């Protein structure tokens, strides 16, 4: 079989890279030393031919071992049992892009992380077999490692779920100029980044529940002479259940290509050293934070009642400085403007952390990868993500911690431009408010009307700054956001913050994950949801003793209105609807009445949407319309955003002949 020149060159490169490994070179030198002299001997090609050397290597089995370790398939070097990796990196964020198969580059080193199965998920011991044609609850495992994100196929919930996946993780170097070089054992030993595993349960209605968030130390594989290690991971719960096992995953970690192993004692010493350094940094920051807090309380006794939050607990109840949750995040080509980023964050579901047995609100600041996988979270999670995205767009942005108008704890984002203009960004709704502080000494009725829903602000922070509000009054209405004014804001030392929250300061803490492009087909999803809603309306009217006639043309005419509504939410500028209004006038005959009801959801569940619409008297009146020549219309338009976020706009409409 003949190969084209480019394939021959590629084959030579793969073999050369494999022969360059230290263990292969050592074996070749040993064979040559045994057959032709000492290792120090300079071999004369006139005395020893290539054929003799190859025969010696064949006799010792070196050639056979090399050929067994090499597997060629186009440009990829990959076992046929290994599924192609689906990889999203920081530079592959493309709108509308689907997951790509990632070929193995023979010049790079990888971890092949394989899930062999799950067991002991005892809460699902009595789960029945999934019924074909009916949606059932599923498990999905998400993984983040050094800016690479993966997710498993959804599998049915069971005591022993059929979680069997393989993920190919690239071990690239971080130093400039070294990224293209294969990582050697020493470089891999210094890579402190853990594997972050997030297990999500999705019920039949599409609602997601976080079951476990686990950080896995992978470097134990460096001690294996085979370059492969198997282990069982006990997945623990989250929040107050972080000491309760959820289940067990059997996994295998393999280095590709295999390299010289490192002594287990060396690895253990490295891990202990990293742990002690991290503990010392945390201790020093805690000592500084306590001293800073004492100084803040001495300014004014009432400061002890303000919402000045220095530390927060993540989903695993680990205390971290709040500044560590925020970091500039670039969305690549997935989001084009800060307002689009705000719209995206507002489409992620809002849910307070549930508290077993009721009581006060449980506070939990999820790691960003966990928040994105869960696709819902509290106001702090939304504010942290929005602030990170706005910083990625180059804005001077901070997370604000305070209270809303009714006194409930809340977080939002503030940006301060170069002219001093202060803008509040509500991450749950996407609304923006220009802040102009009022003078507390002004006469009643002379101060500007408050548009925002915020009552007090205790502190603002980002990845390198922390400011506590030391103004006489912590009311947002009278607050000045000149953060450099030490008489109004008490700042923490930037060096102290960066010692713990700076880039690379705590490598064992998870970095920000890249955003993933949406995999939704908006046309297909919109059409499917529209057909489901038509069926629900027809059935509902049948129960009311009413016939249903659909007007396809009128349904189509509703499309521009839905597009205009989303454009207005996205840009903040009202979109013209003159064309839509003119089209409706032309479509509705004289003597007929037209009614329409637009509404937006952040999910794609037809039954939930229909039930919500029936709770509106206006929409119920349209759906249950009675009269002469009644024609109904419904139009659905799904606008996808990164991750699994989407804006689902739908409009019900009817026209009928007016009878006096």
């Amino acid at each position: 079989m003949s190969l084209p020149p480019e394939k021959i060159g590629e084959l030579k490169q793969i073999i050369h890279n494999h022969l360059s490994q230290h263990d292969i070179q050592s074996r070749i030198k040993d064979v040559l030393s045994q057959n032709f002299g000492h290792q120090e001997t300079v071999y004369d090609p006139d005395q020893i031919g290539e054929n003799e050397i190859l025969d010696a290597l064949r006799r010792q089995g070196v050639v056979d071992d090399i050929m067994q370790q090499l597997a060629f398939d186009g440009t990829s070097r990959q076992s046929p049992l290994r599924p192609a990796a689906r990889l999203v990196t920081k530079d592959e964020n493309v709108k509308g892009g689907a997951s790509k198969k990632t070929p193995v580059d023979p010049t790079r080193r990888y971890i092949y992380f394989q899930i062999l199965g799950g067991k002991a998920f005892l809460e699902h011991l009595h789960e029945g077999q999934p019924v074909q044609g009916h949606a059932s609850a599923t498990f999905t495992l998400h993984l983040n490692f050094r800016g690479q994100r993966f997710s498993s196929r959804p599998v049915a919930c069971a005591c022993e779920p059929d979680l069997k996946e393989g993920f190919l993780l690239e071990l690239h170097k971080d130093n400039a100029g070294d990224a293209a070089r294969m990582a050697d054992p020493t470089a891999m030993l210094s890579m402190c980044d853990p594997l972050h595993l997030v297990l999500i349960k999705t019920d039949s209605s599409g609602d997601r529940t976080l079951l476990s968030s686990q950080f896995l130390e992978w470097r134990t594989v460096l001690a294996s002479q085979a370059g492969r290690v198997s282990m069982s991971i006990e997945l623990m719960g989250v929040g107050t259940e972080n000491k309760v096992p959820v289940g067990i995953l059997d996994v295998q970690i393999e280095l590709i290509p295999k390299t010289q192993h490192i002594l287990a004692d060396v690895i253990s010493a490295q891990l202990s050293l990293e742990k002690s350094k991290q503990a010392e940094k945390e201790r020093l920051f805690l000592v500084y934070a306590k001293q800073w807090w004492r100084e803040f309380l001495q300014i004014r006794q009432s400061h002890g009642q303000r919402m000045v939050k220095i530390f927060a607990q993540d989903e695993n109840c680990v205390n971290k400085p709040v500044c560590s949750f925020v970091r500039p995040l670039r969305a690549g080509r997935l989001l084009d403007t800060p307002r689009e980023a705000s719209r995206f964050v507002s489409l992620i579901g809002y849910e307070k952390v549930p508290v077993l047995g009721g009581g006060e609100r449980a506070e939990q600041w999820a790691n960003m990868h966990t928040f994105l996988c869960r696709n819902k979270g509290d106001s702090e999670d939304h504010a942290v993500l929005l602030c990170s995205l706005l910083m990625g767009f180059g804005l001077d942005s901070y997370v604000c911690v305070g209270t809303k108008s009714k006194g409930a704890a809340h977080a939002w984002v503030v940006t301060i431009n170069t002219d001093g203009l202060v803008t509040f960004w509500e991450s749950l709704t996407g609304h923006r408010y220009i802040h102009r502080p009022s003078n507390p000494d002004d006469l009643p009725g002379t101060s500007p009307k408050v548009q925002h829903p915020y009552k007090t602000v205790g502190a603002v922070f980002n990845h390198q700054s922390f400011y506590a509000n030391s103004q006489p009054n912590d009311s947002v209405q009278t607050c000045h956001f000149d953060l450099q004014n030490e008489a109004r804001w008490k700042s923490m030392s930037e060096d102290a913050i960066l010692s713990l929250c700076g880039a690379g300061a705590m490598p064992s803490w998870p970095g920000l994950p890249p955003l993933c492009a949406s995999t939704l087909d908006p046309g297909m999803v919109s059409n499917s949801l529209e057909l489901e809603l038509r069926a629900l309306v027809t059935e509902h009217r049948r129960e009311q003793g009413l016939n249903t006639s659909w007007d396809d043309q009128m349904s189509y005419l509703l499309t521009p209105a839905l597009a205009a509504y989303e454009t207005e939410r996205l840009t903040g500028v009202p979109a013209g609807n003159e064309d839509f209004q003119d089209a409706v006038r032309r479509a509705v005959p004289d003597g007929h009445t037209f009614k329409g009801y637009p509404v937006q959801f952040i999910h794609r569940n037809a039954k939930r949407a229909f039930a919500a619409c029936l709770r509106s008297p206006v929409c119920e009146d349209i759906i249950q319309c009675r009269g002469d020549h009644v024609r109904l219309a419904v139009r659905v338009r799904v606008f996808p955003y990164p991750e699994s976020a989407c804006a689902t706009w739908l409009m019900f409409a009817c026209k009928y002949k007016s009878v006096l």
Side-chain angles (χ1 to χ4, degrees):
M1 180 183 67
S2 62
L3 291 174
E6 63 272 11
K7 290 294 183 183
I8 294 176
E10 179 185 333
L11 185 60
K12 287 181 178 179
Q13 180 65 36
I14 293 175
I15 295 174
H16 172 75
N17 291 327
H18 194 71
L19 293 178
S20 298
Q21 296 179 41
H22 181 74
D23 54 347
I24 298 296
Q25 290 182 351
S26 299
R27 290 190 62 186
I28 293 175
K29 287 181 179 180
D30 291 342
V31 171
L32 296 179
S33 175
Q34 294 171 11
N35 289 271
F36 304 106
H38 299 286
Q39 291 186 5
E40 293 80 6
T41 302
V42 177
Y43 301 104
D44 186 351
D46 295 332
Q47 297 179 1
I48 305 174
E50 292 183 4
N51 292 335
E52 296 179 53
I53 297 176
L54 285 174
D55 288 340
L57 293 174
R58 287 194 186 97
R59 287 195 302 271
Q60 297 294 328
V62 176
V63 174
D64 290 339
D65 289 347
I66 292 174
M67 295 305 295
Q68 287 178 4
Q69 294 180 43
L70 292 172
F72 304 103
D73 178 18
T75 59
S76 301
R77 176 177 164 273
Q78 201 166 347
S79 166
L81 295 178
R82 295 171 183 160
R86 290 173 289 146
L87 175 62
V88 177
T89 62
K90 297 175 183 176
D91 298 324
E92 291 175 344
N93 302 349
V94 181
K95 279 188 175 179
S99 300
K100 297 180 178 180
K101 292 183 178 180
T102 304
V104 177
D105 184 347
T107 66
R108 311 299 286 269
R109 195 176 299 282
Y110 299 88
I111 290 176
Y112 180 58
F113 183 75
Q114 191 174 10
I115 305 170
L116 305 177
K119 58 186 178 183
F121 286 78
L122 300 181
E123 286 194 11
H124 305 276
L125 184 61
H126 302 293
E127 291 279 352
Q129 292 294 325
V131 180
Q132 189 172 5
H134 291 76
S136 60
T138 60
F139 287 144
T140 305
L141 187 71
H142 301 266
L143 186 147
N144 179 40
F145 178 69
R146 295 174 67 83
Q148 304 162 76
R149 289 182 60 190
F150 302 82
S151 60
S152 70
R153 291 181 293 270
V155 300
C157 294
C159 182
E160 297 184 357
D162 188 28
L163 279 167
K164 294 181 180 178
E165 289 281 352
F167 306 112
L168 199 62
L169 313 172
E170 185 178 335
L171 287 168
H172 54 81
K173 295 187 176 182
D174 295 326
N175 297 331
D178 290 341
R181 296 172 53 192
M182 181 180 288
D184 55 24
T186 303
M188 289 188 287
L189 184 60
S190 64
M191 295 179 183
C192 310
D193 309 70
L195 286 168
H196 188 200
L197 305 175
V198 177
L199 184 64
I200 298 292
K201 177 183 177 181
T202 307
D203 63 21
S204 56
S205 65
D207 190 45
R208 299 184 184 186
T209 303
L210 173 64
L211 296 184
S212 180
S213 173
Q214 194 93 353
F215 292 94
L216 175 65
E217 176 56 64
W218 60 272
R219 285 175 288 178
T220 53
V221 70
L222 299 177
S224 171
Q225 295 186 17
R228 184 187 305 113
V229 64
S230 298
M231 64 181 73
S232 293
I233 305 173
E234 187 176 44
L235 299 178
M236 308 303 291
V238 294
T240 56
E241 300 179 13
N242 68 323
K243 302 297 183 183
V244 181
V246 172
I248 296 174
L249 285 182
D250 293 326
V251 303
Q252 179 176 280
I253 304 176
E254 179 182 356
L255 282 177
I256 300 176
K258 188 173 66 173
T259 185
Q260 186 179 19
H261 75 283
I262 300 176
L263 294 177
D265 291 344
V266 175
I267 297 176
S268 178
Q270 174 71 15
L271 298 180
S272 298
L273 179 62
E274 292 171 0
K275 187 175 181 180
S276 62
K277 284 184 176 180
Q278 176 171 327
E280 179 64 12
K281 288 182 179 180
E282 291 177 339
R283 186 190 69 81
L284 291 175
F285 183 81
L286 180 60
V287 170
Y288 169 78
K290 287 182 176 180
Q291 176 62 31
W292 180 91
W293 177 248
R294 284 193 291 268
E295 295 173 357
F296 181 67
L297 293 181
Q298 289 175 3
I299 299 174
R300 201 172 283 108
Q301 283 187 339
S302 61
H303 283 182
Q305 307 300 320
R306 296 190 178 184
M307 292 282 293
V308 179
K309 193 161 189 64
I310 304 173
F311 294 91
Q313 285 190 346
D314 66 9
E315 67 270 21
N316 293 319
C317 295
V318 176
N319 275 309
K320 298 178 184 177
V322 291
C323 296
S324 68
F325 289 89
V326 188
R327 200 170 298 171
L329 176 62
R330 293 190 298 181
R333 301 188 186 277
L334 298 180
L335 300 168
D336 295 329
T337 66
R339 293 204 181 199
E340 187 176 1
S342 177
R343 177 63 171 156
F344 155 62
V345 175
S346 70
L347 293 172
I348 299 176
Y350 168 63
E351 181 182 77
K352 294 182 180 179
V353 179
V355 180
L356 187 63
E360 294 185 1
R361 166 183 178 265
E363 189 176 275
Q364 181 184 108
W365 294 38
N367 289 297
M368 193 170 295
H369 180 231
T370 304
F371 175 49
L372 294 174
C373 295
R374 189 184 176 205
N375 197 40
K376 59 183 176 182
D378 213 332
S379 64
E380 292 86 0
D381 303 321
H382 287 78
V384 163
L385 176 57
L386 178 57
C387 183
S388 298
L389 288 168
L390 295 183
M391 285 195 296
F393 278 109
L395 301 184
D396 186 23
S397 56
Y398 304 85
V399 175
C400 295
V401 178
T403 60
K404 296 183 75 173
S405 54
K406 295 184 179 180
H410 190 67
W412 67 98
V413 177
V414 61
T415 57
I416 307 171
N417 71 5
T418 54
D419 296 328
L421 181 66
V422 176
T423 305
F424 294 150
W425 303 65
E426 177 48 61
S427 57
L428 296 181
T429 63
H431 294 161
R432 299 167 76 249
Y433 308 95
I434 303 299
H435 173 63
R436 294 184 175 86
S438 60
N439 190 333
D441 297 329
D442 288 345
L443 295 175
T446 60
S447 300
K449 185 178 180 181
V450 177
Q451 302 291 335
H452 58 75
Y454 314 120
K455 183 178 181 181
T456 65
V457 56
V460 301
F461 65 89
N462 59 20
H463 65 303
Q464 59 188 13
S465 305
F466 187 96
Y467 300 94
N469 185 2
S470 58
Q471 298 172 60
N473 191 337
D474 64 349
S475 170
V476 176
Q477 185 176 355
T478 60
C479 182
H480 292 264
F481 282 83
D482 48 347
L483 301 180
Q484 305 306 318
N485 188 335
E486 296 182 359
R488 291 172 171 166
W489 296 90
K490 179 171 176 57
S491 63
M492 273 194 171
S493 165
E494 183 175 330
D495 291 338
I497 294 173
L498 292 178
S499 70
L500 210 58
C501 307
M506 303 291 280
S508 63
W509 287 355
L512 293 187
L515 296 183
C516 292
S518 175
T519 58
L520 288 179
D521 182 335
M524 183 180 297
V525 174
S526 300
N527 188 61
S528 175
L529 187 54
E530 191 172 304
L531 292 175
E532 289 184 65
L533 287 172
R534 282 197 177 197
L536 290 170
V537 170
T538 302
E539 179 62 27
H540 180 78
R541 287 178 60 86
R542 183 182 297 116
E543 293 175 356
Q544 303 291 324
L546 301 172
N547 295 327
T548 305
S549 297
W550 293 100
D551 189 327
D552 293 337
Q553 175 62 16
M554 188 166 67
S555 296
Y556 180 72
L557 295 182
L558 303 178
T559 307
L562 300 182
Y565 298 145
E566 181 60 23
T567 300
E568 182 176 346
R569 293 287 183 92
L570 188 61
T571 63
V573 179
N577 248 343
E578 298 82 4
D579 295 337
F580 164 68
Q581 294 170 2
D582 183 65
V584 169
R585 292 191 190 100
R586 291 170 55 85
V588 178
D590 292 339
H592 285 65
T593 299
F594 172 86
K595 292 182 180 180
Y597 177 79
V599 64
Q600 182 241 307
F601 299 97
I602 61 173
H603 60 79
R604 303 182 304 278
N605 188 301
K607 291 183 178 179
R608 285 174 58 190
F610 184 66
C613 290
L614 285 178
R615 289 194 289 270
S616 166
V618 176
C619 188
E620 184 182 31
D621 185 49
I622 293 174
I623 293 174
Q624 299 180 1
C625 180
R626 297 171 180 266
D628 192 15
H629 291 86
V630 175
R631 296 292 183 270
L632 296 177
V634 62
R635 192 64 170 173
V636 177
R637 182 73 167 85
V638 175
F639 297 87
Y641 283 82
E643 300 294 327
S644 51
C646 69
T648 303
W649 281 97
L650 61 93
M651 179 184 282
F652 287 104
C654 69
K655 65 178 180 180
Y656 58 94
K657 188 175 182 179
S658 303
V659 179
L660 297 178

